[in-house]
Amino acid sequence: MPKYTPTTKEDNHFSWFDVMASFWFFYKDQGFSFFFWIVALFLVNFYQLVPPLILGKLIDILATPSSKDTLSFIFALIGFAGFIHMSASLIRLHGKNIIGDHKDKVFYSAKVKGFEKLLEMSLHWHAQESTGNKVQKINAGINASGRLMHLLTNDIFLGVTTLIGTLTFFLLKSPILAVLVVVYTLCFFTINKIFHGKEQALWESIHTSEESSSGKYYEGLNNLVTIKSLGASSSFQKAVLNTEQRTLDLQMKARRVNNTKWRWFQGVNAIVQMIALGYVSHGVLSDVLSIGSVLIFFNYMQSITRV
């Protein structure tokens, strides 16, 4: 079987600018409601920074109760925690419901526009591409758009708000930990930069291979009678096997690269958490920080390293 060479950046580079341009192309016509709820979903992610503050304050109060008003203040904190949790959850669920409706409209529009685009392509291009490949290109584009929206409203929004909120809090309370967050962020992006090129080349090759294998499936299903009548079943089956084997090999290689990257991430995470916990513990023993600060600072560092 011939060696399958991954697509390189020089061959087909798709930058983050291209990603955002594609996102804008799909969603630019969705109106004010869509962009309003995108912003709302971003802002509501700052809620995650509030519970550790409340829990830290409760620990400090319970550790050193000083007046009869302590119990009523504790109940007020608990009530506030419940209220903002319910409010944030309702906003998030309602916003995702509306965003989901817009996403479905975009998928519908993408299929229609995709077919229109196929009609505009030259006869030479149609002669080079099989029917299965054409269908797979449309489906791959739609699926990629859906994954991008899910990534944006979940992982990206969560990561950005966690970094902004945690860095702001540390700058106000402990500049040393703020420096630690900046160093950790630089390490994160450095590791990601080292592995990104290789991962991107592999996934571009995987997508190309999947288009080819899916195209053969579509072609085979559409021409099943012809294939059997010509006695080409064996050769066609071998062609499908070869394309699927290429896809499998690339997927396994991409998984190993991703696994190696995350080993580096987890090593850095462990070091950063140990430094942060040691610093906060020293601050508590020196009466610079309260006992509740241990929970707050460690929880924030956990949030950063989980992102």
Side-chain angles (χ1 to χ4, degrees):
M1 182 173 63
K3 184 177 179 180
Y4 193 80
T5 304
T7 304
T8 62
K9 286 185 177 181
E10 289 75 19
D11 296 327
N12 187 20
H13 178 54
F14 199 74
S15 67
W16 277 105
F17 176 80
D18 297 320
V19 172
M20 298 313 298
S22 301
F23 181 84
W24 175 253
F25 173 80
F26 277 114
Y27 290 94
K28 64 182 179 180
D29 298 325
Q30 292 306 303
F32 174 79
S33 173
F34 171 77
F35 293 101
F36 172 82
W37 284 105
I38 282 288
V39 174
L41 286 177
F42 173 77
L43 295 177
V44 81
N45 276 282
F46 282 106
Y47 153 76
Q48 64 179 314
L49 302 169
V50 178
L53 292 174
I54 296 176
L55 289 175
K57 186 64 177 178
L58 282 174
I59 290 174
D60 288 338
I61 294 173
L62 293 173
T64 56
S66 57
S67 69
K68 295 181 180 179
D69 296 330
T70 299
L71 189 60
S72 54
F73 183 65
I74 289 175
F75 286 148
L77 277 178
I78 294 173
F80 177 69
F83 172 75
I84 61 171
H85 175 78
M86 180 177 64
S87 300
S89 298
L90 291 175
I91 293 173
R92 185 181 292 111
L93 290 170
H94 185 66
K96 286 190 175 182
N97 185 50
I98 293 177
I99 293 298
D101 290 341
H102 285 290
K103 185 170 68 174
D104 290 340
K105 293 177 183 177
V106 166
F107 287 179
Y108 165 80
S109 177
K111 289 181 179 179
V112 175
K113 289 182 178 179
F115 184 74
E116 292 176 353
K117 208 66 175 172
L118 286 178
L119 294 177
E120 295 174 3
M121 300 300 288
S122 66
L123 292 175
H124 176 70
W125 183 86
H126 282 286
Q128 290 182 322
E129 296 283 341
S130 68
T131 303
N133 282 21
K134 297 168 189 174
V135 174
Q136 183 62 18
K137 286 180 185 294
I138 295 175
N139 289 336
I142 293 172
N143 292 335
S145 173
R147 288 194 299 270
L148 176 60
M149 178 57 69
H150 182 271
L151 184 68
L152 180 67
T153 56
N154 289 276
D155 299 336
I156 294 178
F157 282 179
L158 179 64
V160 172
T161 53
T162 297
L163 181 61
I164 293 174
T166 301
L167 189 57
T168 302
F169 178 81
F170 284 167
L171 281 171
L172 296 175
K173 296 293 184 180
S174 177
I176 292 178
L177 286 181
V179 173
L180 182 62
V181 170
V182 173
V183 172
Y184 171 78
T185 304
L186 292 175
C187 289
F188 175 86
F189 281 110
T190 300
I191 295 172
N192 195 63
K193 177 67 175 177
I194 292 172
F195 287 92
H196 174 71
K198 193 170 185 180
E199 284 186 309
Q200 184 183 33
L202 283 169
W203 280 110
E204 287 175 353
S205 298
I206 288 171
H207 293 155
T208 302
S209 182
E210 286 178 340
E211 284 183 5
S212 177
S213 60
S214 297
K216 290 188 182 300
Y217 272 122
Y218 280 113
E219 289 297 311
L221 292 174
N222 288 332
N223 301 284
L224 193 59
V225 176
T226 304
I227 292 172
K228 291 180 69 66
S229 63
L230 293 176
S233 300
S234 179
S235 60
F236 188 81
Q237 185 177 4
K238 185 177 180 180
V240 171
L241 177 63
N242 288 340
T243 55
E244 288 296 335
Q245 185 63 49
R246 286 200 298 268
T247 303
L248 176 62
D249 292 342
L250 288 166
Q251 288 174 335
M252 294 176 67
K253 187 174 181 180
R255 188 177 297 110
R256 286 192 292 271
V257 171
N258 183 262
N259 186 268
T260 302
K261 180 181 73 173
W262 278 101
R263 289 179 186 179
W264 279 94
F265 280 151
Q266 295 307 323
V268 174
N269 289 347
I271 295 172
V272 168
Q273 289 182 19
M274 286 190 295
I275 294 174
L277 189 57
Y279 173 79
V280 174
S281 299
H282 180 269
V284 173
L285 294 175
S286 304
D287 292 327
V288 176
L289 299 173
S290 66
I291 296 176
S293 299
V294 176
L295 184 144
I296 297 173
F297 282 82
F298 186 70
N299 190 285
Y300 282 175
M301 289 306 302
Q302 282 278 80
S303 299
I304 285 289
T305 55
R306 280 197 302 266
V307 172

